[in-house]
């Protein structure tokens, strides 16, 4: 190997490593704030599980198909200029039956948990659920607690800071005051479209206390990137205390518990 070729190889290897570092730095292996692979609630966990139920078989199929393809390309390549054409084959009943039946079985198996979750995640929240009315606005989130009132007797109303009790379902009705937004709490569940003139529904349940970084997930104008909110899951007592205080949030809309 010439020195020049060695250098090219080294450069290519270095480029590969640097590229991989950039690529994988976007992957959150751990419990980072918006990592949907680290769910903190029942809905987010179900959604993550469904993803894997589809992804692992798909990955196995991809490796199998590309494996056979690459093997065939190499094994049956043309070895010399004057090689005669290979034997021409038409149809193979056994293979065709197999690659029809196996996908049918696989899809049927995947359909069971998928349909079960579609029904479960789309159902009405339970009777003891907390009800929150969400209004998406350019560019902030308005949360109204119709069953919780402040000192004046008006429903508690806050912006960009959602407080919810841990271990209890929260049922949201979601509306828009202007354009289409998307309501998303990556570690708790979602997302759901926020559409003018339409009321959408979603429920979630937080498993443990935390401050869950959440956001609008649909481009909705110049302020879209700032349309974030905090979902603060706390004990029932802390939640009641927060309600009793009229749902006070810090002036920035980011609670002291935010740590940001
Ligand atoms: Cu609201 Cu993007």
């Amino acid at each position: 190997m010439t020195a020049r070729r060695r250098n090219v190889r080294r450069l290519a290897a270095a480029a590969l490593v640097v590229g991989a570092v950039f690529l994988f730095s976007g992957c959150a292996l751990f419990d980072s704030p918006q990592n949907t692979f680290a769910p903190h609630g029942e809905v987010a966990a179900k959604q993550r599980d469904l993803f894997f139920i589809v992804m692992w078989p798909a990955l196995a199929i991809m490796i199998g198909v590309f494996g056979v393809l690459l093997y065939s390309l190499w094994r049956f390549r043309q070895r010399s200029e004057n090689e005669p054409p290979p034997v021409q084959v038409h149809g193979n009943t056994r293979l065709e039956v197999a690659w029809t039946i196996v996908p049918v079985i696989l899809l049927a198996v995947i359909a069971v948990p998928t349909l079960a979750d579609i029904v479960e995640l789309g159902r009405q929240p339970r009777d003891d659920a907390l009800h929150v009315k969400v209004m998406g606005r350019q560019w902030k989130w308005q949360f109204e607690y119709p069953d919780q009132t402040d000192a004046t007797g008006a429903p508690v109303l806050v912006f960009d800071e959602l407080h919810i009790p841990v271990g209890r379902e929260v049922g949201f009705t979601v509306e828009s005051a202007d354009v289409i937004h998307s309501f998303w709490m990556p570690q708790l569940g979602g997302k759901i479209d926020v559409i003018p003139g339409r009321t959408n529904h979603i429920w979630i349940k937080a498993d443990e206390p935390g401050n869950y970084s959440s956001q609008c997930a649909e481009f909705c104008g110049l302020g879209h990137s700032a349309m974030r909110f905090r979902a603060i899951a706390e004990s029932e007592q802390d939640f009641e205390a927060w309600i009793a205080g009229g749902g006070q949030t810090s002036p920035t809309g980011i609670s002291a518990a935010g740590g940001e």
Side-chain angles (χ1 to χ4, degrees), residues 45-235:
K46 278 188 169 28
Q47 291 172 333
R48 189 264 325 258
D49 293 346
L50 270 189
F51 172 79
F52 281 127
I53 287 171
V54 176
M55 197 202 71
W56 290 123
L59 194 66
I61 291 166
M62 193 193 82
I63 290 170
V65 169
F66 276 92
V68 170
L69 177 67
L70 292 175
Y71 171 78
S72 306
L73 285 174
W74 179 80
R75 176 73 180 74
F76 303 108
R77 70 192 186 278
Q78 190 180 30
R79 281 155 214 265
S80 68
E81 279 292 314
N82 43 19
E83 208 173 343
V87 183
Q88 301 299 301
V89 179
H90 296 281
N92 182 317
T93 310
R94 248 191 233 171
L95 268 180
E96 285 163 20
V97 168
W99 72 49
T100 304
I101 289 181
V102 171
V104 167
I105 293 171
L106 190 65
L107 288 178
V109 169
I110 288 174
V112 174
T114 305
L115 292 174
D117 279 359
I118 286 174
V119 172
E120 171 67 4
L121 301 185
R123 68 166 167 75
Q124 290 292 316
R126 299 197 193 289
D127 290 342
D128 67 339
L130 174 74
H131 182 204
V132 180
K133 285 163 87 169
V134 178
M135 180 72 82
R137 297 179 177 278
Q138 283 176 314
W139 288 279
K140 58 186 169 187
W141 292 101
Q142 174 185 309
F143 302 111
E144 185 186 332
Y145 297 75
D147 306 325
Q148 276 77 20
T149 49
D150 62 16
T152 69
V156 169
L157 183 85
V158 291
F159 291 93
D160 292 336
E161 194 176 286
L162 171 74
H163 284 244
I164 54 171
V166 163
R168 182 171 157 201
E169 276 185 25
V170 185
F172 298 94
T173 54
V174 182
E175 293 176 359
S176 171
D178 35 55
V179 301
I180 299 176
H181 306 273
S182 178
F183 183 59
W184 191 32
M185 296 162 283
Q187 290 191 304
L188 297 180
K191 47 189 89 128
I192 187 127
D193 278 338
V194 184
I195 301 170
R198 187 188 156 86
T199 304
N200 276 343
H201 301 269
I202 189 173
W203 67 268
I204 56 105
K205 191 162 106 184
D207 287 340
E208 49 205 288
N211 189 332
Y212 300 108
S213 180
S214 307
Q215 67 180 74
C216 176
E218 175 114 18
F219 182 69
C220 54
L222 288 179
H224 162 70
S225 62
M227 198 170 163
R228 304 189 298 151
F229 67 99
R230 298 263 158 200
I232 296 170
E234 54 203 359
S235 68

